[in-house]
Amino acid sequence: MTRAGFYSLLLLLFPVTAALYLAAAAENYSRSDFPADFVFGSGTGAYQYEGAAFEDGRAPSIWDTFAHSGHVNGVTGDVACDGYHKYKDDVKLMSDTGLEAFRISLSWSRLIPNGRGPVNPLGLQYYNKLIDDLISHGIQPHVTLHHLDLPQALESEYGGWLNRKIVKDFTAYADVCFREFGDRVSFWTTVNEANIFATGGYSEGLIAPGRCSPSIRTGCFGNSSTEPYIVGHNILLAHSATWKLYRKKYKATQKGYVGFSIYTWGMVPYSNAKEDIIATQRLKDFIIGWLIDPLIFGDYPEIVKRRAKGRIPALTKYESKQTKGSFDFIGLNFYMVFSVEDDRSLPDFDKWNFWTDVGVKIFNIDSGNTPPDQLPVMPWGLSTLLEYIKQVYGNPPIYIHENGQSLKRNGTLNDTPRVEYLRGYIGGMLDAIRNGSNTKGYFAWSFLDCLELDGYEHSFGLYYVDLDDAELKRYQKLSAIWYSNFLKGSNAISEVGENVFVSLK
Ligand SMILES: *[C@@H]1O[C@H](CO)[C@@H](O)[C@H](O)[C@H]1NC(C)=O
Ligand SMILES: *[C@@H]1O[C@H](CO)[C@@H](O)[C@H](O)[C@H]1NC(C)=O
Ligand SMILES: *[C@@H]1O[C@H](CO)[C@@H](O)[C@H](O)[C@H]1NC(C)=O
Ligand SMILES: *[C@@H]1O[C@H](CO)[C@@H](O)[C@H](O)[C@H]1NC(C)=O
């Protein structure tokens, strides 16, 4: 039997299961409980989605290089979900699902292959068509400029984000994007999960450009105790210069918003011991405060400056002034809650890194019996985090830029753990909004099963992508139906109809 035939057979056999499941899943909230201007969407990143890595003038990014050196479990984004060719069908699918907004990132090295200089007309054409298509389907584009994918040319030429030259090149790239797309795009994010890019890429070397001290991992080059801070510093400067450019040159006519993005967790003390309570606050200061304090207060947190003394660049008076207040919103990527224990053990000097500065041990909290390969569902973790940001940072506008459940990619279309996850966390977010949090949007990660940081083994998609099919056919999962029903304001079983949901294997 062909694979398609196999699916059709399963479709015939199993619709009842899905119907029963959804019937039992009445919500205690609905779309209409959220503020009128709140947006719900989903998203993806350029390297993870587009494919066409060598087509139409695109040059490699640091993520291409990292993947081609075998560091992403031996796979690459050369083809990924082939969004470069399939975006039209995907936008149709988004529209059918009822998405109000979609979060994309632009591949800098597709638009400006050398990182600076000539703009690639075919790159412009692709993003113009994608953006137009989203808008013509009533879907608001939210655009990220840097999603872990600096042009390799700039990495090779001067060390990329380690070099202050990046500020000028990033701003020039942003200028091109505002000029070309800003008539239709109102929501811009400069750097996606900047803190994880700086630590993952320069302290642990687990994501591109894969730098760390040689003692941390064999074959690694870099300095885990200095580079994350230098990169974080340059990101802040590039971000604030970009925000300022938008203010001066585009805001009056385009009336859009430029924000920043970090990766966060829920963080709770491991015990009632004073050390663990202090350690939890320290982790918050390193994970949230490190790059957010400068935007709100104009300086790094005291504890970060003290622990990374002599290694973290100081924000000069001028830089502090330029950084403070330079954002219109903050994007948060949120997936889980950690329990935090104080850790005073001192590593060897040459093993010093960002995490030894933090000085904590972290544990995934499990509500009891979350199966391996799944993330526990703890909505209070998100409410508490949003409450913290409201109270400590003066309630800035927040977008949840990523939140979603990881499952084995080849599992099942009947992804009930993902439904439970989305239902739980959207509810947790609503609790915070009802208590005054200025959260303005939510983007379920991710729309399709595309490339993840660890390859194609686990995925977060609302839609499954069959990588064995030459056409990379998309299949709707239960989570897509649940989200769609939620967005369309209905849980009614009659709206689910004869649906899909079945085991893939
Ligand atoms: C990292 O840089 C610091 C400060 O320059 C230096 O003391 C340390 O030896 C360097 N570590 C490594 C592993 O290169
Ligand atoms: C929905 O119900 C859950 C569990 O019963 C509860 O924890 C949550 O606070 C409720 N959320 C809303 C928004 O009413
Ligand atoms: C709700 O907000 C108030 C005022 O900011 C705060 O004091 C209170 O702790 C919040 N409640 C929860 C459950 O977070
Ligand atoms: C997923 O299933 C396909 C088809 O059976 C197989 O080719 C592929 O290797 C599997 N991938 C993983 C990560 O298990």
Side-chain angles (χ1 to χ4, degrees):
M1 195 185 312
T2 63
R3 203 166 171 80
F6 176 63
Y7 280 119
S8 326
L9 179 65
L10 289 174
L11 296 194
L12 288 174
L13 291 175
F14 286 93
V16 179
T17 322
L20 286 177
Y21 177 77
L22 285 170
E27 312 304 336
N28 60 355
Y29 60 82
S30 73
R31 174 66 185 91
S32 60
D33 289 320
F34 289 82
D37 62 347
F38 193 95
V39 290
F40 277 99
S42 183
T44 188
Y47 186 65
Q48 292 163 281
Y49 170 66
E50 289 174 5
F54 310 104
E55 247 172 85
D56 290 351
R58 182 183 180 275
S61 74
I62 54 174
W63 202 344
D64 293 71
T65 306
F66 194 62
H68 276 271
S69 320
H71 294 307
V72 186
N73 274 327
V75 298
T76 71
D78 288 359
V79 178
C81 280
D82 198 25
Y84 190 72
H85 299 108
K86 300 196 182 310
Y87 73 91
K88 259 191 181 304
D89 292 342
D90 290 337
V91 172
K92 173 84 174 41
L93 214 50
M94 293 171 204
S95 170
D96 293 346
T97 310
L99 299 190
E100 301 155 6
F102 196 71
R103 179 172 173 257
I104 57 171
S105 79
L106 307 180
S107 164
W108 183 348
S109 62
R110 189 184 291 290
L111 275 172
I112 309 177
N114 289 324
R116 93 167 77 84
V119 176
N120 172 15
L122 293 174
L124 274 184
Q125 184 184 304
Y126 169 65
Y127 290 117
N128 272 322
K129 287 194 302 190
L130 172 58
I131 289 166
D132 285 345
D133 218 38
L134 286 167
I135 288 173
S136 74
H137 283 83
I139 300 169
Q140 195 179 73
H142 287 235
V143 175
T144 299
L145 295 174
H146 182 280
H147 193 107
L148 314 173
D149 60 351
L150 184 79
Q152 179 61 42
L154 300 183
E155 185 74 18
S156 306
E157 184 187 328
Y158 58 67
W161 286 104
L162 282 168
N163 193 311
R164 190 117 1 156
K165 287 182 182 162
I166 192 67
V167 176
K168 194 165 162 233
D169 286 338
F170 184 83
T171 316
Y173 158 56
D175 198 4
V176 168
C177 298
F178 297 153
R179 187 184 72 216
E180 297 292 336
F181 311 123
D183 57 333
R184 287 153 293 155
V185 173
S186 301
F187 295 89
W188 297 96
T189 301
T190 50
V191 179
N192 173 56
E193 55 189 36
N195 54 346
I196 287 297
F197 175 67
T199 55
Y202 297 84
S203 181
E204 293 100 76
L206 290 174
I207 58 176
R211 292 179 64 87
C212 60
S213 298
S215 59
I216 304 255
R217 256 206 347 273
T218 38
C220 229
F221 298 96
N223 187 329
S224 300
S225 74
T226 55
E227 291 186 358
Y229 299 110
I230 296 166
V231 166
H233 195 81
N234 289 337
I235 287 177
L236 281 174
L237 300 183
H239 162 82
S240 59
T242 299
W243 182 85
K244 206 168 139 192
L245 168 80
Y246 190 84
R247 274 273 132 157
K248 274 174 70 176
K249 200 165 159 187
Y250 298 100
K251 180 82 178 177
T253 49
Q254 298 186 352
K255 302 185 167 56
Y257 307 92
V258 177
F260 190 68
S261 145
I262 59 164
Y263 186 102
T264 55
W265 307 297
M267 297 170 248
V268 293
Y270 176 74
S271 78
N272 288 330
K274 198 166 147 233
E275 291 74 18
D276 290 345
I277 292 168
I278 293 170
T280 305
Q281 182 57 47
R282 195 161 65 240
L283 182 61
K284 287 179 185 169
D285 288 335
F286 272 85
I287 286 301
I288 303 170
W290 170 31
L291 298 180
I292 298 302
D293 273 27
L295 296 179
I296 311 264
F297 306 122
D299 201 4
Y300 294 117
E302 285 307 318
I303 185 76
V304 175
K305 288 196 287 184
R306 192 157 75 237
R307 291 212 159 203
K309 199 172 166 61
R311 293 176 284 114
I312 186 165
L315 281 158
T316 64
K317 237 188 172 141
Y318 172 79
E319 290 170 354
S320 161
K321 208 172 142 221
Q322 158 141 326
T323 307
K324 186 174 173 180
S326 68
F327 70 97
D328 298 315
F329 62 85
I330 294 167
L332 302 178
N333 297 353
F334 179 96
Y335 291 92
M336 52 195 148
V337 180
F338 279 125
S339 152
V340 186
E341 190 181 14
D342 187 40
D343 180 8
R344 301 285 180 91
S345 61
L346 295 176
D348 296 342
F349 181 71
D350 68 343
K351 290 215 166 75
W352 208 262
N353 66 72
F354 179 85
W355 294 103
T356 49
D357 285 334
V358 187
V360 300
K361 282 189 197 144
I362 52 179
F363 306 94
N364 206 342
I365 307 186
D366 194 330
S367 46
N369 41 14
T370 311
D373 292 317
Q374 290 183 25
L375 302 173
V377 182
M378 301 183 167
W380 55 266
L382 180 56
S383 335
T384 314
L385 174 76
L386 291 172
E387 187 64 33
Y388 176 82
I389 289 183
K390 176 184 111 185
Q391 295 190 11
V392 174
Y393 294 108
N395 209 9
I398 297 291
Y399 286 84
I400 305 297
H401 268 161
E402 293 184 14
N403 176 242
Q405 174 66 286
S406 169
L407 294 170
K408 267 215 164 310
R409 175 176 224 287
N410 271 359
T412 169
L413 294 176
N414 193 0
D415 58 344
T416 53
R418 184 166 292 114
V419 174
E420 299 297 355
Y421 186 99
L422 297 176
R423 167 191 294 125
Y425 280 112
I426 291 172
M429 175 175 68
L430 181 57
D431 288 341
I433 291 171
R434 283 185 167 150
N435 201 43
S437 165
N438 193 12
T439 303
K440 302 179 83 67
Y442 176 92
F443 294 81
W445 184 267
S446 55
F447 188 61
L448 304 174
D449 286 346
C450 295
L451 179 72
E452 284 301 329
L453 293 178
D454 63 352
Y456 294 102
E457 191 106 355
H458 297 91
S459 66
F460 295 78
L462 305 173
Y463 289 82
Y464 173 74
V465 177
D466 185 357
L467 298 179
D468 292 326
D469 172 20
E471 294 298 313
L472 298 175
K473 188 166 159 48
R474 281 72 162 132
Y475 292 85
Q476 191 180 39
K477 300 187 204 176
L478 186 61
S479 55
I481 295 188
W482 178 83
Y483 198 42
S484 181
N485 283 341
F486 166 69
L487 293 178
K488 293 173 182 172
S490 155
N491 317 316
I493 189 155
S494 58
E495 312 243 336
V496 176
E498 296 279 299
N499 264 308
V500 193
F501 293 112
V502 294
S503 180
L504 281 173
K505 291 240 150 187

